[in-house]
Amino acid sequence: MKGGSFAGIDGCPAGWLTVELTIDGSWTAGVFEDLESLWAAYRQAVLLLIDMPIGLADGSEPRRCDVLARQLLKPGRASSIFPAPVREVLSATDYAQANALQRRLSGRGLSRQTWALVPKIRTLDRLLRQDEAARLTFRESHPELCLAQLFGRPMRSGKKSQAGFDERMAHLRGVYAQADEVVEELMLRYPRKAVARDDIVDALVLAVTAWLSEGRPRQLPEGGDGDRLGIQRIIAYYCFLKEERLEKHNAESLGKLDG
């Protein structure tokens, strides 16, 4: 990997999909079966934005970053922020045990969607607790929050729909000229059983966010907060367009969608 690069990382059926942008905007991408090999390949990156919880919930209090992100994704996309589990769930061996632990310790059950993420959350948590350099390079992010903050409002359509794909691409190509090239090439490179179309778009959104921020994204909450092991709980995003430019961009993008 080249120094000065920025990457977006999204979980996919084959493991982890990465899209990397260098300072000049050139791109590469890859799929890694495990997070350890991904980190070995990207240790020299400036910033790695990953769509996976970093820092877990403690007891009945939800993470502040989740609460704040949902507020910014209203209307329409707030439900895309899954509540992070309590740390004890990482030791569960099946969904029934995990659900019981979550309910006992937080007062709320654990969704099957969140349970499906636990193996990846567990792996990421272990890496960050063991490697200080990884803690300094990885940041939790969320594609829907990044899109809403870059372009002024939450997306209107779900990401898995054709309308949602068209909407996201209309926005992305306005800030990254190679957006279509990235998606088209990766759609040809990987079968859908390994990497879904929305995985590609999500990883690209995170990579573009990291690249536009030049490695200095904003975060929710602004000051951050740590879980009981001291792992910082923030969601990174970036907002760079002034209001008048944002209005012009949105009008042009939505005009393309309507056309």
Side-chain angles (χ1 to χ4, degrees):
M1 297 300 156
K2 299 177 182 178
S5 67
F6 312 89
I9 305 166
D10 193 51
C12 64
W16 303 90
L17 171 67
T18 65
V19 174
E20 177 195 30
L21 304 183
T22 58
I23 292 173
D24 66 3
S26 60
W27 70 275
T28 57
V31 170
F32 295 82
E33 184 176 350
D34 60 82
L35 197 63
E36 289 77 10
S37 58
L38 184 158
W39 173 231
Y42 283 91
R43 291 185 70 95
Q44 301 306 312
V46 174
L47 178 65
L48 302 176
L49 292 186
I50 188 168
D51 184 13
M52 197 60 59
I54 292 177
L56 300 173
D58 292 323
S60 61
E61 290 297 319
R63 301 193 311 168
R64 289 177 60 207
C65 57
D66 293 337
V67 174
L68 294 170
R70 287 192 201 99
Q71 291 173 354
L72 292 177
L73 285 172
K74 295 178 181 179
R77 301 266 74 84
S79 63
S80 66
I81 303 289
F82 296 164
V86 295
R87 178 164 294 281
E88 287 77 4
V89 161
L90 300 190
S91 64
T93 57
D94 57 37
Y95 174 70
Q97 182 186 23
N99 188 41
L101 281 168
Q102 181 77 21
R103 189 173 298 280
R104 177 169 62 84
L105 294 170
S106 74
R108 297 178 297 276
L110 187 77
S111 72
R112 288 194 175 272
Q113 291 167 307
T114 302
W115 171 245
L117 298 177
V118 165
K120 284 184 165 65
I121 297 172
R122 184 187 297 123
T123 300
L124 178 58
D125 181 72
R126 182 171 59 246
L127 172 65
L128 298 179
R129 286 188 289 110
Q130 294 175 348
D131 192 319
E132 182 179 1
R135 289 197 300 276
L136 295 174
T137 308
F138 281 91
R139 291 288 183 276
E140 178 182 347
S141 190
H142 195 282
E144 294 300 309
L145 178 66
C146 291
L147 287 162
Q149 290 300 298
L150 281 173
F151 305 117
R153 58 167 178 77
M155 298 295 96
R156 293 175 175 174
S157 302
K159 66 180 183 178
K160 293 183 181 296
S161 69
Q162 186 61 43
F165 173 75
D166 292 342
E167 180 184 24
R168 285 158 179 75
M169 293 306 296
H171 285 305
L172 281 170
R173 68 175 63 99
V175 293
Y176 183 62
Q178 294 170 272
D180 290 294
E181 176 188 315
V182 174
V183 175
E184 290 166 8
E185 183 170 325
L186 297 186
M187 290 279 287
L188 291 173
R189 187 187 304 180
Y190 301 112
R192 300 292 73 74
K193 66 180 180 180
V195 178
R197 183 176 69 174
D198 57 282
D199 297 330
I200 297 170
V201 176
D202 282 351
L204 177 58
V205 169
L206 298 182
V208 169
T209 298
W211 176 65
L212 290 171
S213 78
E214 299 180 340
R216 298 184 296 275
R218 299 181 183 182
Q219 63 184 38
L220 295 175
E222 185 175 347
D225 71 343
D227 69 9
R228 67 173 181 261
L229 295 186
I231 304 296
Q232 283 294 297
R233 300 180 291 192
I234 63 97
I235 298 179
Y237 67 97
Y238 190 61
C239 181
F240 76 107
L241 292 173
K242 292 184 179 179
E243 185 174 353
E244 60 272 15
R245 292 177 62 201
L246 178 61
E247 290 176 355
K248 181 176 183 290
H249 169 80
N250 285 344
E252 290 174 350
S253 298
L254 293 176
K256 293 175 184 177
L257 288 174
D258 293 340

